[in-house]
Amino acid sequence: MNADDARAELKIPEVSFDELLEDPHGVYRKYRPLTPVIRVGQNHYVLRGKDVLDLHRDKRLMQFESDMMCHRGYPAEGNMWTIFSQTVLMSNGKLHARRRAPAVDAFSRRVVAKLTTHIGKEARKLAAGLPRGRAFDLVEEFASPLTGRIIAHIVGLDPDNWRQFAEFVYTITTGLTPPFPADRWPEIEDSAGQFLSYIAKAVEDRRSDPQDDFLTAYIDAADEAGEMSPEELLVQLAGIVIAGSDTTRAGIAVTAGQLLEQRARWDAVKADRSLIDPAIAEAMRLEPPVGGSPRMTRAPIEIDGITIPEGVPVDLLAISAMRDPELFDRPEEFDLHRKDHLKYHMVFGGGVHRCLGEQLALAELHESLAALLDLAPQLELAEARSPLQGFTAVRIVPPLMVRQDDLEMSGAESASAQLAREG
Ligand code: HEM
């Protein structure tokens, strides 16, 4: 770094991990009008909406690759290394394109439509069976089993065993959220190893018994391209499961939680189902399951007089950008009728790494909410909702304690619940 870079860097305010863990939205709200970038250790966090949107497509930024994981203090060996060093998310250029292509093909409109019907049935069965007359955790009783069962179905595992491998995935995800959890590393490594073995078995089964589903479509697309090693293929499937599990269950929790927080919101969506998708968009704008996208600078980047030097980690913070008053009117307000949502929701990132599972995630969120509104319409918060934990990357979902009274359902609701339970 030359003297100019060093001087420019001095102008960037430094914020501690602890401050951010305590109140991420408060910290970003405070600094956003003052500076386009803050520093957290070695990381440079980009705060403002327009900058985050522009930088998602800027060639001066590249995705972290495996060796760069060392910046975060991760060991360069073992099962997590196998995943980091080969996953689509951590690759650039042609390698990224060839790792991404089979999944784009396999998530065809037809496959997603078929999956959506399946998700609707699963969501209704779970919603119909939710406890009555006592407080319970909607994450534990609904969001986790639903996303676990769906992702099991997608990668060809037995949905009834969802809990077994979902635990692996949640453990792996804790290794993706800073600060680096060194004390939990052996457990994370073990989960990653067992999880890769599960996927290997599912792929082997599908190769010998092809079906009309995502996994077969994925294996076919990868075989046809002929460019991936067997291990690389497993890692891509593992990556899809990891990317699509915690994120989607957090999305379900933040949507239900923010609607239930104000009864009028819940009732409005119950009365007008065309508000389901706007509710999902608004809930994830205010409480995104993924807070930001990590990148590295290939060249210095100047923003409003501040220079981010070459060769440093940067986070493009959707979590801050989506509350930027320059981008959204009354950004802190939950507005079911908001007119200024972006065409491409920032919660799914941007540029070449934009979320591969966006359509599937939105279908899962839509079907979940519709099922809850139909079959658990009296749901209410039993305790104040806690915000998601974490200030960038994948955020951790806390319990969402709710209850529904043991009241009589209306005739129509009760018939519908009976049908849903019978599957
Ligand atoms: C609400 C749920 C979800 C959210 C908020 C979300 C968010 C994101 C974001 C922000 C990225 C870009 C990360 C970056 O640029 O560094 C991403 C990438 C990705 N997502 Fe999602 N995601 C969700 C659900 C899913 C689902 C259900 C799947 C698959 C079943 C999935 C698969 C992926 C994959 C494979 C990538 C990597 C794409 C690439 O690098 O080219 N995601 N997601």
Side-chain angles (χ1 to χ4, degrees):
M1 189 189 308
N2 63 35
D4 283 348
D5 284 344
R7 262 196 307 281
E9 219 185 342
L10 283 180
K11 287 195 264 171
I12 305 179
E14 193 150 357
V15 175
S16 72
F17 268 115
D18 289 345
E19 276 175 272
L20 275 170
L21 280 173
E22 171 88 23
D23 179 15
H25 294 301
V27 171
Y28 299 142
R29 193 180 309 120
K30 173 176 154 192
Y31 284 100
R32 209 168 34 236
L34 307 176
T35 171
V37 183
I38 53 174
R39 263 186 51 189
V40 185
Q42 291 302 306
N43 267 294
H44 295 68
Y45 282 14
V46 178
L47 301 177
R48 295 179 182 159
K50 184 176 177 313
D51 299 331
V52 170
L53 284 172
D54 289 349
L55 288 174
H56 263 303
R57 297 174 182 284
D58 195 310
K59 298 251 181 306
R60 290 170 299 174
L61 286 176
M62 62 185 279
Q63 183 54 280
F64 269 72
E65 287 178 359
S66 48
D67 52 333
M68 292 172 190
M69 293 311 294
C70 302
H71 271 284
R72 289 188 169 181
Y74 291 88
E77 59 182 5
N79 300 315
M80 286 296 277
W81 184 252
T82 301
I83 296 179
F84 283 147
S85 58
Q86 297 183 62
T87 174
V88 60
L89 186 60
M90 308 275 175
S91 26
N92 288 292
K94 288 200 177 115
L95 193 57
H96 169 256
R98 82 167 165 76
R99 286 176 175 162
R100 186 173 163 107
V104 174
D105 289 351
F107 274 125
S108 66
R109 210 180 279 264
R110 194 180 65 81
V111 168
V112 173
K114 200 164 165 233
L115 280 170
T116 305
T117 310
H118 175 76
I119 293 167
K121 282 190 194 146
E122 291 277 355
R124 295 180 73 78
K125 218 187 298 177
L126 282 164
L130 287 174
R132 295 190 157 264
R134 66 170 173 87
F136 63 93
D137 176 7
L138 194 70
V139 175
E140 184 60 27
E141 303 280 348
F142 184 77
S144 297
L146 181 64
T147 48
R149 293 181 70 82
I150 298 304
I151 215 83
H153 175 79
I154 291 173
V155 295
L157 304 172
D158 178 359
D160 291 337
N161 282 345
W162 71 269
R163 204 175 274 282
Q164 256 180 313
F165 80 91
E167 281 310 321
F168 296 144
V169 174
Y170 301 145
T171 308
I172 293 169
T173 308
T174 57
L176 305 177
T177 304
F180 171 62
D183 53 331
R184 291 195 65 193
W185 201 248
E187 187 194 343
I188 293 171
E189 262 296 297
D190 183 55
S191 293
Q194 295 205 52
F195 181 55
L196 285 172
S197 308
Y198 258 91
I199 305 265
K201 169 85 176 59
V203 169
E204 205 181 296
D205 289 351
R206 238 358 148 264
R207 280 197 188 285
S208 57
D209 181 16
Q211 308 207 357
D212 179 19
D213 64 3
F214 171 84
L215 185 54
T216 304
Y218 185 87
I219 296 170
D220 286 351
D223 285 354
E224 208 165 298
E227 290 173 317
M228 271 201 273
S229 73
E231 186 175 70
E232 218 177 344
L233 185 141
L234 294 187
V235 168
Q236 303 323 310
L237 289 167
I240 286 170
V241 180
I242 294 167
S245 299
D246 243 5
T247 48
T248 315
R249 73 172 183 155
I252 295 171
V254 294
T255 305
Q258 286 178 90
L259 289 181
L260 291 170
E261 209 161 39
Q262 280 196 13
R263 197 74 215 166
R265 284 181 198 153
W266 178 262
D267 289 343
V269 183
K270 198 162 69 180
D272 177 359
R273 300 307 167 89
S274 72
L275 291 176
I276 289 183
D277 292 337
I280 292 166
E282 194 61 341
M284 292 206 293
R285 182 182 68 78
L286 285 165
E287 256 327 335
V290 181
S293 300
R295 298 287 186 270
M296 292 288 290
T297 50
R298 299 178 204 256
I301 295 179
E302 202 246 289
I303 312 175
D304 295 339
I306 279 185
T307 303
I308 307 176
E310 180 184 344
V312 296
V314 168
D315 265 53
L316 305 178
L317 288 185
I319 181 175
S320 168
M322 292 191 295
R323 291 185 182 216
D324 184 348
E326 295 293 319
L327 223 51
F328 298 99
D329 186 30
R330 298 163 291 108
E332 303 287 333
E333 265 177 48
F334 188 108
D335 179 359
L336 278 172
H337 302 281
R338 181 171 288 284
K339 295 279 178 279
D340 54 3
H341 276 297
L342 303 179
K343 184 170 174 207
Y344 298 103
H345 200 304
M346 284 169 93
V347 78
F348 293 108
V352 293
H353 288 279
R354 187 173 172 84
C355 181
L356 257 168
E358 176 176 353
Q359 293 315 317
L360 182 70
L362 290 175
E364 220 165 317
L365 292 172
H366 184 106
E367 295 302 321
S368 300
L369 199 54
L372 291 174
L373 291 163
D374 279 347
L375 299 163
Q378 309 304 334
L379 219 52
E380 58 186 25
L381 287 185
E383 285 174 17
R385 177 182 71 87
S386 303
L388 296 184
Q389 293 153 13
F391 46 86
T392 182
V394 179
R395 302 173 72 215
I396 309 281
V397 59
L400 178 68
M401 296 307 293
V402 295
R403 60 177 298 124
Q404 52 179 348
D405 281 339
D406 213 355
L407 294 175
E408 288 286 298
M409 288 174 118
S410 73
E413 282 165 5
S414 146
S416 180
Q418 184 63 27
L419 280 173
R421 269 194 296 271
E422 287 166 3

